[in-house]
Amino acid sequence: MRRILASCIAIVTLAGCAPGATSGGGSEPQVDDKTLTYLYFTDGPDEQATRSLIADYEKKSGVKVDLQIVPFDNLEQRLQARLSGGNAPDVARLTDISPFRSDLLDLNKFQKAALDDQFIDGADAYTKGPDGELLGVPSDLTMNGPLVNVDQFKKAGVSLPDVTKPWKWDEMVAAAQKVQKANKTQYAIAMDVSGHRFSTMLSQFGTTFLSADGTAVGLDTQKATAAVKRFADLNASGAMPADLWLQAGSKYKAANEIFLAQQTPVYISGNWQVSAFAKDAKFTWAVAPNPCQENCGGFPGGKFMVSFKQSKRQQAAADFIAYMNSKESQERLAKEANFLPTRKDLISSGIDYTQRDADMKVFLADVSRTPAQAFATSYSPAFAATAKATVDELSKVLAKKESPEQAVEAIKAAAEKALKDTK
């Protein structure tokens, strides 16, 4: 492994010193003091893997990386304050680059060969500037999907889906309800209170908030209404926990406690639960492929690594980003943190995970099944506001204050407003 890392560092360093490399991408005077600041938030299992990669990078490059961990809830506020105060970090980990787009460094000026066109195509419209600048690198990928209580399925005598042949939505619901009835669980299916998670269902029903390039409203009224009706019917019947959504209001609320308490045999969440459930679940569970309707696959999310025009160590920042997102580093992070890669070569070749390999491979297989439009929607700067509005509208439907048709029209209006607000 150390030989691989040494090779990686050498490649990064050579790329940084190649003819044509720019000494600065902004107006800030540059220094070479062998230090970097990395503003970071953690999902849990990624922290130790990240620290391990940083330690090896420091040994091989001679650069000291100051890992500055902040709570996710305060990340955007703190970063805005630092930018306003002229104290930008050299590198940051973000879930949304849109609020900082004008402040971001063009990484192609320093590491074009190592970074450009190496990552999932769905992120291009989001990470590229108007003139082809590379404003950020997708550093890890999340994929929504169902987790199932294997013990409950076996006890009920209900077959699990073949990992190579996903359920249809009707099949998943029928199977979950049979297990619910046989085991007398409170629910059949639970879904996190999240517009992002509901976007999985929308995509499977054949539509997304935004168009394939993320620049226009793409919501098909008829298909979206069908998805909202199905969601409302499942909640009204008791197959899904309506109270979870009604009590959460517009705030995100995970349904993991319901699954861990074995009160639902099917839980629609995402791959970040794998490491947590490997420790916390007191029963046998597994990942199932996403159900299909018109489309298959799940719905993506993830993180991005960026640098800033304010940075006084732009070359070093780009070198570090290139190292952390090399094939070797992404594979190592994915294995140690149960993450999904964003590199095309790793998605194509696959990864052998050290923990819950079969489950992670189900999520990884769904990356290729997921429509490109889902990536464009997820990475659009208009997504967050639209997703939040979707939670509000779905809660109104469950409270019988609004019809599915009215909710879909309101979601479309929210998407149009969000797009205007980002221009």
Side-chain angles (χ1 to χ4, degrees), residues 240-274:
M240 296 182 78
D243 287 349
L244 182 74
W245 285 67
L246 291 172
Q247 293 171 7
S250 61
K251 295 182 179 179
Y252 168 80
K253 175 69 176 175
N256 56 327
E257 292 180 1
I258 296 173
F259 186 66
L260 289 172
Q262 302 198 63
Q263 288 304 309
T264 184
V266 177
Y267 172 33
I268 298 174
S269 191
N271 67 282
W272 55 91
Q273 300 288 6
V274 171

Side-chain angles (χ1 to χ4, degrees), residues 398-419:
L398 298 188
K400 302 189 183 306
K401 295 179 179 179
E402 196 170 75
S403 70
E405 290 81 3
Q406 290 172 321
V408 169
E409 289 304 318
I411 293 168
K412 286 185 73 171
E416 289 170 355
K417 181 179 185 304
L419 280 171

Side-chain angles (χ1 to χ4, degrees), residues 351-407:
I351 291 176
D352 292 325
Y353 288 88
T354 54
Q355 182 185 52
R356 309 288 304 198
D357 179 63
D359 296 309
M360 291 304 300
K361 279 185 165 65
V362 173
F363 279 119
L364 191 55
D366 264 341
V367 173
S368 299
R369 295 189 186 110
T370 301
Q373 193 164 336
F375 287 91
T377 292
S378 177
Y379 291 141
S380 168
F383 177 77
T386 309
K388 184 178 184 298
T390 298
V391 173
D392 291 336
E393 298 307 321
L394 290 175
S395 296
K396 292 176 186 177
V397 172
L398 298 188
K400 302 189 183 306
K401 295 179 179 179
E402 196 170 75
S403 70
E405 290 81 3
Q406 290 172 321

Side-chain angles (χ1 to χ4, degrees), residues 52-125:
S52 179
L53 282 168
I54 288 175
D56 283 325
Y57 182 73
E58 289 176 331
K59 291 176 184 177
K60 302 300 179 182
S61 68
V63 174
K64 177 66 177 176
V65 179
D66 178 13
L67 185 66
Q68 302 174 344
I69 299 181
V70 299
F72 174 70
D73 290 345
N74 296 332
L75 175 66
E76 185 172 329
Q77 181 181 7
R78 289 194 185 195
L79 183 52
Q80 291 283 19
R82 289 183 63 165
L83 287 166
S84 298
N87 183 34
D90 297 305
V91 180
R93 184 190 199 215
L94 304 175
T95 58
D96 184 6
I97 70 173
S98 301
F100 311 103
R101 192 169 288 271
S102 64
D103 297 299
L104 299 179
L105 182 69
D106 178 11
L107 299 173
N108 274 344
K109 290 185 175 181
F110 304 92
Q111 285 287 355
K112 183 177 176 66
L115 298 175
D116 201 39
D117 199 34
Q118 300 300 310
F119 306 93
I120 46 177
D121 292 330
D124 284 350

Side-chain angles (χ1 to χ4, degrees), residues 128-150:
K128 292 293 181 69
D131 298 317
E133 306 97 325
L134 183 61
L135 303 179
V137 170
S139 53
D140 71 76
L141 181 68
T142 60
M143 182 57 52
N144 294 348
L147 302 99
V148 298
N149 186 319
V150 175

Side-chain angles (χ1 to χ4, degrees), residues 7-42:
S7 174
C8 175
I9 293 292
I11 291 170
V12 167
T13 303
L14 287 171
C17 298
T22 308
S23 60
S27 58
E28 289 295 323
Q30 298 296 290
V31 299
D32 183 18
D33 57 2
K34 299 297 182 181
T35 64
L36 278 176
T37 53
Y38 182 17
L39 190 68
Y40 186 84
F41 71 93
T42 176

Side-chain angles (χ1 to χ4, degrees), residues 31-361:
V31 299
D32 183 18
D33 57 2
K34 299 297 182 181
T35 64
L36 278 176
T37 53
Y38 182 17
L39 190 68
Y40 186 84
F41 71 93
T42 176
D43 291 325
D46 57 285
E47 181 181 343
Q48 186 53 50
T50 297
R51 288 186 182 278
S52 179
L53 282 168
I54 288 175
D56 283 325
Y57 182 73
E58 289 176 331
K59 291 176 184 177
K60 302 300 179 182
S61 68
V63 174
K64 177 66 177 176
V65 179
D66 178 13
L67 185 66
Q68 302 174 344
I69 299 181
V70 299
F72 174 70
D73 290 345
N74 296 332
L75 175 66
E76 185 172 329
Q77 181 181 7
R78 289 194 185 195
L79 183 52
Q80 291 283 19
R82 289 183 63 165
L83 287 166
S84 298
N87 183 34
D90 297 305
V91 180
R93 184 190 199 215
L94 304 175
T95 58
D96 184 6
I97 70 173
S98 301
F100 311 103
R101 192 169 288 271
S102 64
D103 297 299
L104 299 179
L105 182 69
D106 178 11
L107 299 173
N108 274 344
K109 290 185 175 181
F110 304 92
Q111 285 287 355
K112 183 177 176 66
L115 298 175
D116 201 39
D117 199 34
Q118 300 300 310
F119 306 93
I120 46 177
D121 292 330
D124 284 350
Y126 184 62
T127 58
K128 292 293 181 69
D131 298 317
E133 306 97 325
L134 183 61
L135 303 179
V137 170
S139 53
D140 71 76
L141 181 68
T142 60
M143 182 57 52
N144 294 348
L147 302 99
V148 298
N149 186 319
V150 175
D151 288 345
Q152 290 184 344
F153 269 78
K154 286 184 176 179
K155 184 178 179 180
V158 178
S159 298
L160 293 167
D162 186 327
V163 295
T164 64
K165 187 179 180 182
W167 275 316
K168 298 293 187 181
W169 253 91
D170 286 348
E171 293 172 334
M172 183 180 75
V173 171
Q177 288 179 324
K178 286 180 181 178
V179 178
Q180 177 191 21
K181 183 178 180 180
N183 294 297
K184 296 181 172 54
T185 60
Q186 195 168 357
Y187 310 108
I189 300 170
M191 180 190 292
D192 296 330
V193 181
S194 162
H196 186 273
R197 230 68 79 238
F198 182 73
S199 292
T200 314
M201 192 171 181
L202 278 178
S203 178
Q204 290 157 357
F205 274 67
T207 188
T208 52
F209 296 148
L210 304 169
S211 61
D213 61 1
T215 62
V217 175
L219 202 66
D220 182 291
T221 300
Q222 185 175 354
K223 294 174 181 178
T225 301
V228 173
K229 282 183 176 178
R230 190 61 182 280
F231 179 77
D233 288 345
L234 288 169
N235 279 274
S237 70
M240 296 182 78
D243 287 349
L244 182 74
W245 285 67
L246 291 172
Q247 293 171 7
S250 61
K251 295 182 179 179
Y252 168 80
K253 175 69 176 175
N256 56 327
E257 292 180 1
I258 296 173
F259 186 66
L260 289 172
Q262 302 198 63
Q263 288 304 309
T264 184
V266 177
Y267 172 33
I268 298 174
S269 191
N271 67 282
W272 55 91
Q273 300 288 6
V274 171
S275 292
F277 289 171
K279 297 178 181 177
D280 299 337
K282 307 304 181 185
F283 52 88
T284 305
W285 59 275
V287 174
N290 272 283
C292 303
Q293 191 71 10
E294 182 173 324
N295 293 328
C296 296
F299 195 80
K303 321 297 186 306
F304 301 85
M305 287 185 70
V306 302
S307 184
F308 301 91
K309 295 174 183 176
Q310 279 190 22
S311 170
K312 297 179 181 180
R313 307 170 185 88
Q314 294 171 3
Q315 181 69 63
D319 291 351
F320 177 63
I321 291 172
Y323 162 77
M324 292 293 285
N325 293 282
S326 66
K327 182 178 180 181
E328 293 81 4
S329 294
Q330 274 210 5
E331 183 173 17
R332 181 172 162 187
L333 181 70
K335 285 182 176 181
E336 294 182 18
N338 277 97
F339 276 15
L340 297 170
T342 61
R343 291 186 60 94
K344 295 177 184 178
D345 47 10
L346 287 174
I347 293 172
S348 176
S349 66
I351 291 176
D352 292 325
Y353 288 88
T354 54
Q355 182 185 52
R356 309 288 304 198
D357 179 63
D359 296 309
M360 291 304 300
K361 279 185 165 65

